[in-house]
């Protein structure tokens, strides 16, 4: 039986956050732009896409180990949305008895009733988008929830029976002074979730923050946000790691911390290069085919064009050889909708940088063979990597500089 993870992208949000460049459409814009209610029709397109991929990649007998509804904001969807998809997946695949089934929810769009329904449908893990507890920081970030919404959602989640809760935090949002950040950590550790994801803010192209960063006049209100420098963000990250370590969270990946037994199995599958099917605009999939080929497929980040593609009778992706190093430029040219056949070098590079994201790292002998002994010795000498029980992993300093390290060791 082939093991598979499923990712379902929900490309809708109540409103757009100022730091976000994920593919999502604010619901108000959706209603203004399209006549029909696309959010209601959306599960039909996802179901069609499952059918197309099942046939093309022979997924009929797959056993689903993890399912992840991410976005966007899955919690803006109705219970019927989750019900129709879970029923379809249950009828067409074998869902493992101990499958990890996660929904991302935002504090302003998830009430107790919806949480009870999710639990009844088989969801057993929630990832709640907290980001900060400070009203001013949340407002500048364009978030539309407040501290009380967070506490209410966590309490409702527990009431509904969720015993595996992850909270998302952003490190270095504008206005997040050290005091505010320490307060954010205190509030999170008081809640004591089973899992914490903490991402260092980066100003991504396509976000409002990116525009403001390059042109201060772009901010819609009088006072533009004050961005926090990289050095300070690095200090915050180290503080967070030390505090969470003291609270017995395992720092098992650059941005992820878990109590014993609560690592995200869905994400571990990504880092282990396990197979997954991603559905919806902008979602990625990874398959290992019987002929030894490995394929990474990325859906177009555009709802209308995604629907057009899915609705075609002869829907087919163009398959190309595309070295990872060129992936982004080729993706842009093609509008993001293509399948790459990984080269041997791609496979090696992926193995190296995905393993090195994790605290267990990669077998030292294998890494030296793949990347060359000289560069590894250099990175160890620079204090960016360390050797533990025959495995090489990144030090805390290395985790902060992971992108530079990956660029240096990519073959
Ligand atoms: S951060 Fe999340 S809630 Fe905010 S716009 Fe992006 S996807 Fe939507």
């Amino acid at each position: 039986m082939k093991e598979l993870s499923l990712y379902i992208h929900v490309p809708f949000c109540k409103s757009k956050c100022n730091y976000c460049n994920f593919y999502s459409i604010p619901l108000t814009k959706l209603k203004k732009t399209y006549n029909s209610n696309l959010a209601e029709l959306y599960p039909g397109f996802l179901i069609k896409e499952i059918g197309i991929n099942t046939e093309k990649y022979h997924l009929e007998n797959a056993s689903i180990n993890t399912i992840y509804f991410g976005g966007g904001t899955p919690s803006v969807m109705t219970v019927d949305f989750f019900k129709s998809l879970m029923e379809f997946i249950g009828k067409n695949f074998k869902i493992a008895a101990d499958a990890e089934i996660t929904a991302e929810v935002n504090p302003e769009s998830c009430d107790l009733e919806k949480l009870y329904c999710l639990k009844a449908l088989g969801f057993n893990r929630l990832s709640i988008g907290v980001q900060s507890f400070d009203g001013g920081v949340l407002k500048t970030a364009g978030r539309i929830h407040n501290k009380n919404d967070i506490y209410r959602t966590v309490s409702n989640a527990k009431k509904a029976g969720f015993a595996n809760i992850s909270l998302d935090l952003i490190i270095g949002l504008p206005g997040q002074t050290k005091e505010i950040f320490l307060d954010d950590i205190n509030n999170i550790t008081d809640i004591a979730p089973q899992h914490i994801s903490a991402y260092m803010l980066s100003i991504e192209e396509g976000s409002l923050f990116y525009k403001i960063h390059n042109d201060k006049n772009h901010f819609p209100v009088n006072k533009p946000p004050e961005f926090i420098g990289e050095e300070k963000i690095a200090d915050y990250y180290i503080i967070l790691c030390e505090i969470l370590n003291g609270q017995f969270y395992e720092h098992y990946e650059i941005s992820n911390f878990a109590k014993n037994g609560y690592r995200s199995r869905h994400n571990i599958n990504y880092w282990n290069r396990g197979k997954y099917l991603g559905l919806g605009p902008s979602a990625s999939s990874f398959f290992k085919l019987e002929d030894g080929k490995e394929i990474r497929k990325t859906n177009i980040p555009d709802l209308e064009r995604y629907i057009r593609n899915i609705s075609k009778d002869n829907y087919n992706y163009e398959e190309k050889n595309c070295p990872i190093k060129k992936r982004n430029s080729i993706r842009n040219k093609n509008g993001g909708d293509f399948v790459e056949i990984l080269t041997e070098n791609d496979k090696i590079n992926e193995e190296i940088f995905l393993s090195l994201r994790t605290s267990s790292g990669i077998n030292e002998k294998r890494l030296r063979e793949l990347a060359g002994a000289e560069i590894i010795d250099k990175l160890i000498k620079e204090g960016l990597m360390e050797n533990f029980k025959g495995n090489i992993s990144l030090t805390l300093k290395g985790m902060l500089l992971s992108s530079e390290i990956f660029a240096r060791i990519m073959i």
Side-chain angles (χ1 to χ4, degrees):
M1 178 92 50
K2 297 175 238 167
E3 295 186 343
L4 184 72
S5 286
L6 280 186
Y7 171 78
I8 294 159
H9 188 74
V10 174
F12 311 116
C13 291
K14 272 203 163 175
S15 61
K16 195 77 193 166
C17 303
N18 296 337
Y19 55 86
C20 178
N21 77 338
F22 293 142
Y23 181 68
S24 72
I25 308 170
L27 285 175
T28 43
K29 190 175 163 196
L30 186 79
K31 280 185 190 135
K32 269 190 217 151
T33 315
Y34 304 97
N35 289 331
S36 58
N37 192 346
L38 274 186
E40 274 173 28
L41 299 174
Y42 189 56
F45 299 118
L46 294 171
I47 284 172
K48 180 135 197 227
E49 194 192 353
I50 296 176
I52 292 168
N53 286 296
T54 303
E55 198 181 330
K56 187 164 168 70
Y57 296 107
H58 310 292
L59 306 175
E60 300 81 6
N61 298 318
S63 166
I64 309 292
N65 286 338
T66 71
I67 304 176
Y68 194 104
F69 283 70
T73 310
S75 52
V76 297
M77 303 306 273
T78 61
V79 170
D80 283 346
F81 165 79
F82 296 101
K83 196 164 178 270
S84 56
L85 280 161
M86 288 303 290
E87 279 176 3
F88 183 84
I89 295 165
K91 269 188 206 143
N92 288 277
F93 299 100
K94 183 187 175 310
I95 302 179
D98 66 342
E100 177 191 272
I101 308 179
T102 306
E104 281 182 358
V105 303
N106 275 350
E108 76 285 347
S109 57
C110 201
D111 57 20
L112 182 58
E113 200 188 330
K114 199 176 274 179
L115 290 168
Y116 270 122
C117 292
L118 290 177
K119 193 76 185 44
L121 287 170
F123 286 80
N124 49 28
R125 186 172 182 273
L126 289 181
S127 170
I128 305 176
V130 167
Q131 320 314 356
S132 174
F133 289 77
D134 183 83
V137 169
L138 288 169
K139 194 163 176 232
T140 309
R143 299 291 302 196
I144 51 173
H145 67 263
N146 59 35
K147 191 174 178 168
N148 292 338
D149 296 327
I150 299 169
Y151 286 119
R152 194 190 52 250
T153 305
V154 171
S155 149
N156 283 345
K158 288 181 184 166
K159 238 183 250 172
F162 284 94
N164 188 355
I165 296 174
S166 177
L167 301 186
D168 273 7
L169 183 71
I170 298 182
I171 307 168
L173 283 166
Q176 202 177 32
T177 60
K178 192 167 174 185
E179 289 68 38
I180 290 176
F181 185 65
L182 287 172
D183 206 39
D184 282 338
I185 303 178
N186 272 338
N187 289 327
I188 287 233
T189 50
D190 277 353
I191 292 173
Q194 287 70 26
H195 188 277
I196 297 166
S197 295
Y199 300 100
M200 287 177 268
L201 181 75
S202 65
I203 312 288
E204 298 290 346
E205 203 172 339
S207 66
L208 182 63
F209 276 175
Y210 183 85
K211 289 182 193 142
I212 300 164
H213 203 249
N214 294 302
D215 173 9
K216 292 258 186 291
N217 298 324
H218 216 99
F219 202 55
V221 293
N222 296 338
K223 199 170 162 271
E226 283 178 22
F227 293 103
I228 293 179
E230 277 177 16
E231 257 176 51
K232 218 171 179 183
I233 293 181
D235 287 346
Y236 286 9
Y237 176 75
I238 290 168
I239 292 171
L240 176 78
C241 293
E242 282 167 0
I243 295 178
L244 294 186
N245 186 28
Q247 303 266 337
F248 305 107
Y249 283 92
E250 295 174 283
H251 186 183
Y252 73 101
E253 193 267 349
I254 295 176
S255 307
N256 287 285
F257 307 80
K259 292 275 187 188
N260 193 13
Y262 289 97
R263 293 179 180 201
S264 159
R265 285 168 50 203
H266 187 80
N267 286 343
I268 286 173
N269 183 57
Y270 291 152
W271 302 318
N272 285 345
R273 303 189 74 244
K275 285 173 284 180
Y276 54 89
L277 170 62
L279 304 159
S282 79
S284 290
S285 305
F286 176 58
F287 303 118
K288 293 177 179 171
L289 307 185
E290 269 149 26
D291 60 5
K293 270 190 202 164
E294 292 188 1
I295 277 183
R296 204 167 279 288
K297 173 171 88 69
T298 307
N299 289 347
I300 192 157
D302 179 312
L303 182 62
E304 250 182 295
R305 289 170 73 184
Y306 163 79
I307 293 170
R308 236 182 288 147
N309 283 346
I310 292 300
S311 309
K312 274 187 218 156
D313 282 339
N314 60 344
Y315 178 61
N316 227 332
Y317 287 108
E318 195 184 345
E319 294 183 356
K320 286 180 187 295
N321 276 311
C322 170
I324 289 178
K325 285 180 182 173
K326 288 190 190 156
R327 201 175 269 173
N328 288 335
S329 58
I330 292 181
R331 179 173 291 163
N332 290 340
K333 260 188 232 151
N334 289 1
D337 190 353
F338 71 105
V339 173
E340 311 149 64
I341 303 166
L342 301 193
T343 63
E344 286 311 307
N345 276 4
D346 286 340
K347 292 179 193 174
I348 291 171
N349 283 328
E350 283 200 359
E351 182 184 342
I352 295 174
F353 71 71
L354 289 173
S355 315
L356 282 175
R357 293 195 64 85
T358 66
S359 58
S360 39
I362 178 168
N363 178 275
E364 176 167 7
K365 194 164 165 266
R366 175 138 180 92
L367 183 61
R368 285 181 183 278
E369 266 166 27
L370 295 178
E374 203 182 317
I375 180 73
I376 304 306
D377 287 334
K378 210 156 180 256
L379 290 165
I380 292 176
K381 214 167 163 198
E382 289 172 28
L384 299 171
M385 283 181 169
E386 61 193 351
N387 178 328
F388 184 67
K389 292 188 179 166
N391 269 19
I392 295 267
S393 56
L394 298 182
T395 58
L396 206 51
K397 188 175 160 198
M399 287 186 174
L400 280 164
L401 297 171
S402 57
S403 310
E404 285 89 328
I405 295 172
F406 299 154
R408 281 173 70 186
I409 57 178
M410 251 184 167
I411 59 170

